[in-house]
Amino acid sequence: MSVLPLVFTSGWASGINAYAVVLLLGIFGATGLTDEVPASLQRTDVLVVAGVLFLCEAVADKIPYVDSLWDSVHTVIRPVAGGVVGALLAGQSGSIPDLAAGAVGGTTALASHFVKAGTRMAINTSPEPFSNIAVSTAEDLGVAGIITFAMFNPQAAAIIAAVLLAAGLAIVVYLWSRIRRFLRRRAQRREERRLAAEVREATGAPPG
């Protein structure tokens, strides 16, 4: 069961930034920092793609409302990535079945993605953009720090990830009223755009 803490930690981190997890694990494996990373994550093409997508996320994640759209797109991607990374890590060590590791990684990634997406919805109820930048930067640094720490002390890193996940879920529950306001405002904007498009079509007015 020695790889399970790393699977859990990588799943938590994948729910926040899956591309950073793949990139960091691949670099750690390629540089010989750890033997736990499978060769498939160390391939140059995988690292290049993960690096490019990480840069895209680093930008999109700091723009109000764009970050929530990005989260919506990644509702499937992040849990799948967490499950795949977990299964690959288990297959490399052979300490637990791949299917069990994939389930742990995917479920943990889904839970942390829920925390990230819910928190961003709450933050987007604020008109200023600086909170998005601050939270996004903290998430990036947190993922990098926890994954790096997990290479040296996976059990302690898993405990930290579990505490952060539990705290995040509690915060999302506490902020649920703000999240509902964000969802209502977004639905209202969509309805306003739809009505405006219908009026333009009916009157023949050019798009405004």
Side-chain angles (χ1 to χ4, degrees), residues 10-11 26 39 48 73-74 92 95 133 147 163-164 171 175 188 190:
S10 65
V48 169
V73 173
H74 285 74
Q92 176 76 2
S95 58
I133 297 174
I147 290 295
V163 171
L164 290 174
I171 290 172
L175 294 176
Q188 183 180 4
R190 282 200 299 262

Side-chain angles (χ1 to χ4, degrees), residues 8-9 12 142 145-146 149 153-167:
F8 179 86
T9 303
W12 169 82
I146 293 296
F149 184 50
N153 197 328
Q155 289 81 10
I159 293 173
I160 294 173
V163 171
L164 290 174
L165 179 59

Side-chain angles (χ1 to χ4, degrees), residues 39-65:
S40 56
L41 294 179
Q42 303 177 35
R43 289 169 37 186
T44 302
D45 56 338
V46 172
L47 293 177
V48 169
V49 171
V52 170
L53 291 174
F54 168 73
L55 292 176
C56 292
E57 174 146 340
V59 174
D61 206 38
K62 294 174 176 61
I63 303 173
Y65 298 105

Side-chain angles (χ1 to χ4, degrees), residues 66-115:
V66 174
D67 57 355
S68 288
L69 177 61
W70 185 269
D71 287 338
S72 298
V73 173
H74 285 74
T75 300
V76 174
I77 296 174
R78 287 170 182 159
V80 169
V84 170
V85 170
L88 289 173
L89 291 172
Q92 176 76 2
S93 69
S95 58
I96 58 175
D98 297 0
L99 185 60
V104 171
T107 302
T108 308
L110 180 61
S112 62
H113 166 77
F114 171 75
V115 171

Side-chain angles (χ1 to χ4, degrees), residues 6 28-39 42 89 92-93 151:
L6 182 57
F28 291 152
T31 56
L33 182 63
T34 177
D35 296 328
E36 297 286 352
V37 180
Q42 303 177 35
L89 291 172
Q92 176 76 2
S93 69
M151 295 296 99

Side-chain angles (χ1 to χ4, degrees), residues 131-188:
S131 54
N132 298 74
I133 297 174
V135 171
S136 176
T137 301
E139 288 172 349
D140 293 341
L141 293 175
V143 166
I146 293 296
I147 290 295
T148 301
F149 184 50
M151 295 296 99
F152 302 97
N153 197 328
Q155 289 81 10
I159 293 173
I160 294 173
V163 171
L164 290 174
L165 179 59
L169 290 170
I171 290 172
V172 169
V173 171
Y174 176 75
L175 294 176
W176 181 241
S177 61
R178 295 188 66 177
I179 294 171
R180 284 189 298 179
R181 277 203 306 272
F182 169 82
L183 293 174
R184 284 198 299 266
R185 286 170 56 187
R186 189 168 64 175
Q188 183 180 4

